[in-house]
């Protein structure tokens, strides 16, 4: 074995990192605080300190063909959007198939990670752990931080005058587990993100009344997209990304807003974002519009102040007799075992090259895996991140100079301001980001070459879903089954729907979809040119 690598956390990012280290001949040791793998996806009926927490009814927002490890597809009979228990089942199968469990030390808490005195020359770290009341310290050549960013709740009580006088219950969404205890209650949910909308719609079937308070609104998307196909298999394509990033801004913004409003007019439902052209992460919820139409969920603006039993909103309206306030207000980013100066600088923001490497260290021997968000799924993202990080640690990939890394970070921040409205967001453009990482390790598909040598595959890669299999087609870690997996991804997507067969499977034709979309504008331009 090669260099010793400490991996903190055995969730999705940790499992990907163990596997990537093994592929590169490194020696991984993974420390997991709990007694099982899964991280965020491991449901517990109570929130545990220092661990991510989900409610019992959580389903995925990404479909199975878009969120698998690129050489380990989900079973054919798994539904497209899966309950958290199915993800846990899949991760357990993956860990066993790849023989990862023997590298994990369970019930082991990492209390500190510090540079060794000779770090400038060796790049080594002292990692201190605690287990069964015993503290141990060991030296590692590198560290991969895989503990996630859904651990420490952001509860901005100071932003809500009068909350200290409120007599009802008040807690963060991480403590919500199931709706039964809210039967007949009047509930206010603060926040219009995925958790807030999931909780509000679930409670609407048992609570007396549910109100969502939103400061800035949000686009709400359905998992079921055009012609009933999974949204991400239709929208996350290389050709779609090319259009978005190369069309004039006015046209790109118009297409985006048309796409977001295709299901219903957000203005009519009180959901419209303050700035609709920003590509902020949308909410995925199939029930919310219907709940609003039926009057069992109402949407209100930001809370101006609380009284003992009510909330007064910025539009002057009041929600009376509140029994409970649930703050679905997101999470703060913190790695308590690390000296903040390692990954934070400049206004105390976490600054990472490509969302992975701190740019100002003498040696690039620590990597943060999973600290990005995009419309794409997490598993393919952390798989590529960890593969790149393992090769950097091994020395087969080199990073640019500090100056070049900082210039790249600054350039990306300006782009984020344009697309997402703020520079410190974790959001990124999924396909662009994946292509950047895959270029570093030599696994990016060569699209022109594919069109010349394998046109059938090229059409699916470019116009079809940008699934994770694309990043195991060539180069280090190439998977012989990747081509077939891409060509059969629609079969696996449609298979679980065939519980009552009424005809042949209807697969989408993306090339003709895009052709139809642009046929009218092209026709109008042709008519205009003919008349002038």
């Amino acid at each position: 074995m090669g260099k010793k690598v400490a991996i903190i956390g055995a969730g999705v990012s940790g499992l990907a990192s163990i596997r990537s280290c093994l592929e590169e001949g490194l020696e991984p040791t993974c420390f997991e605080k709990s007694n099982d793998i899964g991280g965020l996806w491991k449901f517990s009926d109570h929130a545990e300190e220092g661990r991510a927490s989900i409610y019992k009814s959580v389903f995925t927002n990404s479909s199975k063909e878009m969120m698998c490890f690129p050489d380990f597809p989900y079973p054919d009979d798994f539904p497209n959007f899966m309950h958290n228990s199915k993800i846990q089942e899949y991760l357990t199968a993956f860990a066993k198939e790849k023989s990862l469990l023997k590298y994990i030390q369970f019930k082991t808490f990492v209390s500190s990670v510090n540079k060794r005195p000779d770090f400038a020359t060796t790049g080594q770290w002292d990692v201190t752990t605690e287990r069964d009341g015993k503290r141990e310290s060991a030296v590692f050549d590198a560290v991969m931080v895989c503990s996630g960013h859904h651990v420490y709740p952001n509860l901005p009580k100071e932003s809500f005058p009068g909350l200290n006088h409120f007599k009802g219950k008040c807690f963060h969404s991480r403590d919500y587990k199931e709706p039964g205890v809210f039967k007949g209650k009047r509930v206010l949910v603060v926040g219009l993100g995925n958790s807030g909308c999931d909780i509000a719609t679930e409670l609407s079937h048992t609570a007396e009344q549910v109100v969502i308070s939103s400061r800035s609104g949000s686009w709400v998307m359905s998992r079921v997209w055009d012609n009933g196909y999974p949204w991400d298999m239709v929208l996350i394509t290389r050709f779609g990304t090319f259009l978005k990033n190369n069309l004039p801004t006015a046209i790109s913004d118009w297409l985006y807003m048309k796409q977001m409003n295709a299901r219903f007019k957000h203005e009519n439902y009180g959901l419209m974002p303050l700035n609709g052209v920003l590509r902020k992460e949308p909410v995925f919820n199939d029930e919310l519009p219907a709940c609003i139409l039926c009057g069992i969920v109402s949407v209100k603006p930001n809370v101006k102040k609380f009284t003992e039993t009510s909330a007064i909103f910025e539009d002057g309206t009041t929600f009376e007799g509140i029994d409970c306030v649930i703050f679905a207000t997101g999470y703060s980013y913190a790695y308590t075992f690390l000296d903040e100066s390692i990954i934070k600088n400049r206004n105390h923001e976490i600054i990472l090259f490509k969302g992975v490497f701190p740019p100002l260290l003498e040696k690039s021997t620590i990597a943060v895996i999973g600290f990005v968000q995009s419309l794409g799924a997490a598993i393919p993202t952390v798989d590529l991140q960890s593969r790149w990080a393992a090769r950097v640690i091994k020395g087969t990939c080199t990073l640019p100079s500090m100056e070049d890394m900082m210039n790249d970070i600054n350039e990306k921040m300006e782009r984020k301001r344009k697309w997402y409205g703020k520079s410190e967001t974790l959001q990124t453009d999924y396909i662009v980001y994946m292509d950047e990482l895959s270029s570093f390790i030599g696994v990016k598909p060569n699209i022109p070459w594919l069109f010349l040598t394998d046109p059938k595959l090229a059409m699916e890669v470019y116009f079809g879903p940008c699934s994770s299999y694309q990043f195991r087609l060539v180069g280090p870690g190439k998977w012989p089954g990747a081509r077939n997996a891409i060509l059969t991804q629609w079969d696996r997507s449609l298979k679980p729907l065939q519980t009552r067969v009424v005809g042949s499977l209807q697969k989408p034709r993306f090339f003709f979809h895009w052709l139809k979309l642009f046929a009218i504008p092209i026709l109008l331009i042709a008519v205009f040119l003919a008349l002038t």
Side-chain angles (χ1 to χ4, degrees):
M1 301 296 284
K3 296 178 178 179
K4 293 183 177 181
V5 182
I7 297 170
I8 304 171
V12 167
S13 299
L15 295 178
S17 296
I18 297 170
R19 199 271 286 268
S20 295
C21 285
L22 295 174
E23 285 185 324
E24 295 300 328
L26 304 174
E27 185 178 343
T29 301
C30 179
F31 302 106
E32 169 55 42
K33 184 178 180 180
S34 72
N35 62 356
D36 202 356
I37 63 170
L40 175 71
W41 294 105
K42 176 64 176 177
F43 173 75
S44 172
D45 59 8
H46 63 281
E48 300 174 28
E49 183 67 28
R51 288 196 68 232
S53 175
I54 57 173
Y55 35 97
K56 194 171 185 177
S57 60
V58 164
F59 279 76
T60 63
N61 290 331
S62 297
S63 64
K64 67 175 184 178
E65 287 303 302
M66 300 295 281
M67 69 172 295
C68 64
F69 284 101
D71 58 346
F72 196 73
Y74 287 89
D76 288 0
D77 61 345
F78 270 37
N80 281 279
F81 296 100
M82 295 160 287
H83 186 256
N84 59 81
S85 59
K86 285 291 187 184
I87 299 296
Q88 186 66 16
E89 182 182 334
Y90 170 78
L91 294 176
T92 300
F94 175 77
K96 289 179 179 178
E97 173 71 20
K98 304 299 180 182
S99 302
L100 307 181
L101 296 176
K102 61 186 176 182
Y103 299 99
I104 305 172
Q105 295 184 18
F106 292 105
K107 296 183 178 180
T108 305
F109 170 67
V110 176
S111 56
S112 67
V113 174
N114 296 301
K115 294 179 183 177
R116 286 185 56 76
D118 58 356
F119 178 84
T121 54
T122 66
Q124 291 181 325
W125 301 85
D126 283 320
V127 178
T128 303
T129 59
E130 297 177 19
R131 177 175 176 157
D132 298 329
K134 296 179 181 179
R135 176 173 288 203
E136 294 182 1
S137 188
V139 177
F140 287 89
D141 298 300
V143 176
M144 298 175 80
V145 179
C146 304
S147 52
H149 55 268
H150 293 96
V151 176
Y152 301 101
N154 174 39
L155 195 55
K157 291 185 177 182
E158 67 284 351
S159 300
F160 299 97
L163 186 61
N164 56 322
H165 300 300
F166 177 67
K167 290 186 175 180
K169 289 185 177 180
C170 173
F171 59 89
H172 191 270
S173 58
R174 75 175 255 109
D175 294 310
Y176 173 84
K177 292 299 174 179
E178 54 88 24
V181 296
F182 297 91
K183 186 174 182 179
K185 304 294 185 182
R186 294 171 64 81
V187 182
L188 172 63
V189 178
V190 179
L192 192 65
N194 283 307
S195 294
C197 290
D198 280 353
I199 293 170
T201 54
E202 184 169 68
L203 288 180
S204 70
H205 302 294
T206 55
E208 178 187 322
Q209 180 64 51
V210 178
V211 172
I212 300 176
S213 168
S214 174
R215 183 179 56 198
S216 56
S218 180
W219 294 116
V220 178
M221 292 175 61
S222 172
R223 294 176 177 87
V224 184
W225 209 246
D226 293 348
N227 300 310
Y229 299 117
W231 75 270
D232 48 357
M233 294 188 75
V234 176
L235 291 185
I236 302 180
T237 69
R238 291 183 174 277
F239 184 60
T241 297
F242 169 80
L243 290 178
K244 180 191 74 175
N245 292 331
N246 289 279
L247 284 173
T249 301
I251 297 176
S252 178
D253 290 347
W254 176 81
L255 281 173
Y256 177 71
M257 292 187 67
K258 180 178 172 60
Q259 196 175 60
M260 292 297 101
N261 261 327
R263 184 178 169 213
F264 64 94
K265 299 298 182 185
H266 284 64
E267 300 95 322
N268 297 342
Y269 287 70
L271 297 169
M272 184 72 183
L274 291 180
N275 188 341
V277 300
L278 293 179
R279 269 58 164 185
K280 291 183 178 180
E281 184 180 12
V283 169
F284 290 93
N285 195 289
D286 303 293
E287 290 187 68
L288 184 60
C291 289
I292 295 172
L293 273 180
C294 294
I296 54 178
V297 173
S298 302
V299 181
K300 291 287 186 177
N302 197 36
V303 176
K304 184 178 180 181
K305 68 175 182 179
F306 284 93
T307 68
E308 290 184 350
T309 59
S310 65
I312 301 171
F313 302 102
E314 289 182 345
D315 63 357
T317 58
T318 303
F319 183 32
E320 302 278 2
I322 303 174
D323 296 295
C324 181
V325 179
I326 302 175
F327 284 92
T329 45
Y331 291 85
S332 301
Y333 315 135
Y335 297 104
T336 56
F337 47 82
L338 268 181
D339 182 338
E340 282 195 351
S341 64
I342 292 173
I343 59 173
K344 284 188 176 183
N345 57 35
R346 196 169 57 187
N347 301 322
H348 300 288
E349 293 177 10
I350 294 179
I351 303 295
L352 300 169
F353 177 61
K354 304 301 181 188
V356 177
F357 286 103
L360 302 180
L361 290 178
E362 303 96 317
K363 298 286 184 179
S364 297
T365 55
I366 188 168
V368 181
I369 308 299
F371 196 68
V372 296
Q373 288 180 186
S374 71
L375 273 183
I379 290 178
T381 305
V382 300
D383 181 74
L384 262 185
Q385 285 182 327
S386 61
R387 289 164 69 188
W388 177 43
R391 291 177 68 80
V392 170
I393 291 167
K394 184 179 180 180
T396 49
C397 281
T398 57
L399 297 182
S401 66
M402 287 185 186
E403 182 181 357
D404 287 343
M405 285 193 284
M406 287 305 300
N407 287 338
D408 181 84
I409 289 169
N410 291 331
E411 180 186 329
K412 292 293 190 299
M413 282 186 165
E414 287 304 314
R415 197 172 300 169
K416 285 181 177 184
R417 285 192 184 95
K418 174 189 173 184
W419 287 111
Y420 310 115
K422 53 183 180 179
S423 61
E424 68 274 16
T425 179
L426 300 186
Q427 281 189 264
T428 189
D429 188 319
Y430 179 67
I431 294 179
V432 172
Y433 180 70
M434 295 290 278
D435 278 350
E436 285 181 334
L437 297 189
S438 58
S439 295
F440 293 149
I441 55 180
V443 299
K444 179 183 175 183
N446 186 328
I447 305 299
W449 180 249
L450 274 182
F451 271 107
L452 288 172
T453 59
D454 195 340
K456 182 179 180 180
L457 178 63
M459 289 290 286
E460 194 66 29
V461 167
Y462 192 66
F463 291 102
C466 186
S467 50
S468 60
Y469 315 120
Q470 295 191 13
F471 302 102
R472 291 271 180 178
L473 274 171
V474 296
K478 176 182 177 180
W479 178 44
R483 181 183 186 275
N484 184 63
I486 292 170
L487 295 178
T488 57
Q489 57 194 353
W490 283 107
D491 296 317
R492 286 187 301 280
S493 175
L494 296 172
K495 175 71 182 295
L497 305 180
Q498 301 302 297
T499 54
R500 175 177 173 262
V501 180
V502 293
S504 58
L505 295 179
Q506 300 297 308
K507 302 177 188 178
R509 299 180 178 182
F510 286 104
F511 179 75
F512 295 105
H513 166 77
W514 288 111
L515 197 62
K516 284 193 297 181
L517 182 65
F518 287 97
I520 294 176
I522 291 171
L523 182 61
L524 290 174
I525 292 171
V527 171
F528 174 78
L529 293 175
L531 294 174
T532 57

